[in-house]
Amino acid sequence: MNKKLIVTAMGLVMAGAVGLANADVKLYGQIDLSLNWTDSDAPGFEDDINMTSNTSAFGIKGSEDLGNGMSAFFKLEWDTDLTQGRSDLNGRDQYIGVKMQRFGKMTFGTTSTAYKSPGSKIDAFYRTPLQSRAVGLQSNLHSGKGEEGAGRGTNMVRYDSPKMFGGLGFTGTYQFDSDKTGGPGLCDPNTGTNPGDESCNDDDPYSLGLTYKGGNFYAAASYIDTQQGGDASAAQFLAKYTWNNLSVHGIYELDGGLITDRRSTGTSEDDGADIWSAGFGYTIGNNLIGADFGQQSDSDGRDGISGTGDDVEEYDVWRIAAYHKFSSRTRVYAGYGNQDFDDSGEDEIFSLGMR
């Protein structure tokens, strides 16, 4: 199956090169490997040094001018784990869409939610083991793939508006829930059969977002709701300002139950796992150094790691990291992240990598 995917991908590239005179088709990708030292106070965990492949991915993307200010576009992207020597391919962004100059663009398939998209704009170490969502500076609503609050949404329709009023944009997504597994007659709303079965819920998740970029200032606000009933939402606000070689940024995520739920085993009925972080980046030639500090509040809900029924714990987190660009395509990076949980101790990571 994987060989067929690769052959198909290569065929699309060649077709774009020789057969589509008005189309722009590109093959792209990145390779990122790092050595990571990790330590945790969690029961049974031992210090370890290991190699990880960090979103080493390739893809094909293209567009075609349809005339009258309209164009069609597509993207097919996969990632693979270089450290294991396997040819497994995992789908990432995979979609097709239409763009209209005055009305924005519609995307159909698998892509980022309006909640996830802005987060990468302020994270200088995005797609590395030190990225904000990996060390606790952001929630796990920025990660994963699926239908129930994951960062990359499947079965999704997404709308992105054109820029308005000098830099304001709107994004909205809607997902069609495919997990109706109860079978005929088992999710009958009239008889009330299996009323507590999550697969019987008509929970089509949606997200909404506003972004603004003008001069040296970038800001965003977004909201996501899985419509599962009860506490199943979250909102975030973030901003970044750049002044000469210095940039400062901050993010606040307000848990409406979905952050707690994604940290728990099963469905939680509580909220309060708010997360905030602030940091800076300073550029010196081809080098950047950055530092961040943040906190998460605690909330009732089962812990997703231990499964012991503990609350989602409060923690402090900080990160310091740097990278050096050899060119526009090649860089090396190093850094340290530390999560200090209120009750269960610390999680630490030191990473040295190359992209």
Side-chain angles (χ1 to χ4, degrees):
M1 181 63 181
N2 289 328
K3 291 181 179 179
K4 291 181 180 179
L5 284 173
I6 295 174
V7 171
T8 301
M10 296 302 100
L12 286 171
V13 172
M14 290 187 291
V18 301
L20 301 176
N22 297 320
D24 180 18
V25 179
K26 297 180 180 179
L27 178 67
Y28 69 94
Q30 75 166 38
I31 298 173
D32 190 313
L33 287 175
S34 63
L35 282 173
N36 307 308
W37 169 80
T38 54
D39 184 27
S40 175
D41 291 332
F45 190 95
E46 296 183 4
D47 295 4
D48 190 25
I49 298 177
N50 219 324
M51 182 180 291
T52 59
S53 179
N54 311 301
T55 318
S56 296
F58 74 93
I60 310 158
K61 59 184 177 181
S63 63
E64 183 178 12
D65 186 356
L66 303 178
N68 299 316
M70 180 181 294
S71 62
F73 60 90
F74 78 94
K75 184 176 183 179
L76 298 170
E77 183 175 297
W78 299 268
D79 69 11
T80 186
D81 189 341
L82 303 182
T83 66
Q84 301 302 312
R86 299 193 305 260
S87 59
D88 297 357
L89 297 177
N90 301 306
R92 291 175 52 80
D93 284 358
Q94 299 188 343
Y95 55 74
I96 192 169
V98 177
K99 182 177 181 179
M100 295 165 282
Q101 187 173 6
R102 295 184 179 180
F103 300 101
K105 64 180 182 180
M106 296 286 295
T107 304
F108 306 88
T110 299
T111 188
S112 296
T113 65
Y115 194 94
K116 175 192 174 183
S117 291
S120 62
K121 306 296 184 183
I122 65 169
D123 188 2
F125 301 95
Y126 181 58
R127 293 175 74 166
T128 76
L130 298 164
Q131 63 185 337
S132 295
R133 68 193 191 200
V135 298
L137 293 164
Q138 292 176 325
S139 75
N140 53 9
L141 300 183
H142 295 266
S143 63
K145 181 177 70 174
E147 296 179 0
E148 306 299 346
R152 179 172 289 106
T154 55
N155 297 303
M156 178 185 286
V157 177
R158 172 169 167 154
Y159 170 74
D160 291 272
S161 75
K163 297 301 180 184
M164 305 173 290
F165 309 112
L168 184 67
F170 168 77
T171 300
T173 70
Y174 191 89
Q175 293 174 258
F176 298 94
D177 184 12
S178 64
D179 191 23
K180 300 294 192 300
T181 57
L186 297 181
C187 294
D188 190 338
N190 297 317
T191 63
T193 306
N194 294 344
D197 188 346
E198 183 177 314
S199 65
C200 296
N201 296 335
D202 185 16
D203 51 349
D204 293 350
Y206 70 91
S207 65
L208 304 170
L210 286 174
T211 60
Y212 175 80
K213 185 175 182 180
N216 297 330
F217 182 67
Y218 173 81
S222 56
Y223 175 82
I224 186 169
D225 194 321
T226 63
Q227 299 199 81
Q228 290 180 303
D231 300 326
S233 65
Q236 73 171 345
F237 308 90
L238 57 86
K240 179 180 179 179
Y241 183 78
T242 303
W243 182 67
N244 294 329
N245 294 333
L246 177 67
S247 66
V248 293
H249 58 263
I251 182 170
Y252 187 86
E253 295 187 63
L254 181 63
D255 180 27
L258 190 56
I259 296 175
T260 297
D261 191 44
R262 291 270 292 168
R263 285 282 311 278
S264 304
T265 55
T267 301
S268 171
E269 294 296 332
D270 195 65
D271 55 26
D274 300 346
I275 300 175
W276 70 266
S277 63
F280 75 91
Y282 189 77
T283 303
I284 309 172
N286 292 334
N287 308 289
L288 180 140
I289 183 169
D292 305 81
F293 178 81
Q295 291 181 326
Q296 177 180 273
S297 303
D298 60 357
S299 68
D300 292 335
R302 288 166 290 181
D303 184 83
I305 298 175
S306 66
T308 60
D310 296 334
D311 293 348
V312 175
E313 286 187 64
E314 180 179 352
Y315 64 73
D316 295 338
V317 56
W318 61 277
R319 172 186 70 179
I320 183 167
Y323 66 70
H324 170 74
K325 287 185 176 181
F326 290 104
S327 70
S328 61
R329 291 185 294 268
T330 303
R331 70 177 64 182
V332 292
Y333 58 86
Y336 173 81
N338 180 293
Q339 274 184 281
D340 187 0
F341 293 89
D342 193 36
D343 295 321
S344 59
E346 295 181 322
D347 287 347
E348 300 175 88
I349 180 172
F350 175 79
S351 182
L352 175 63
M354 178 178 182
R355 176 180 300 175

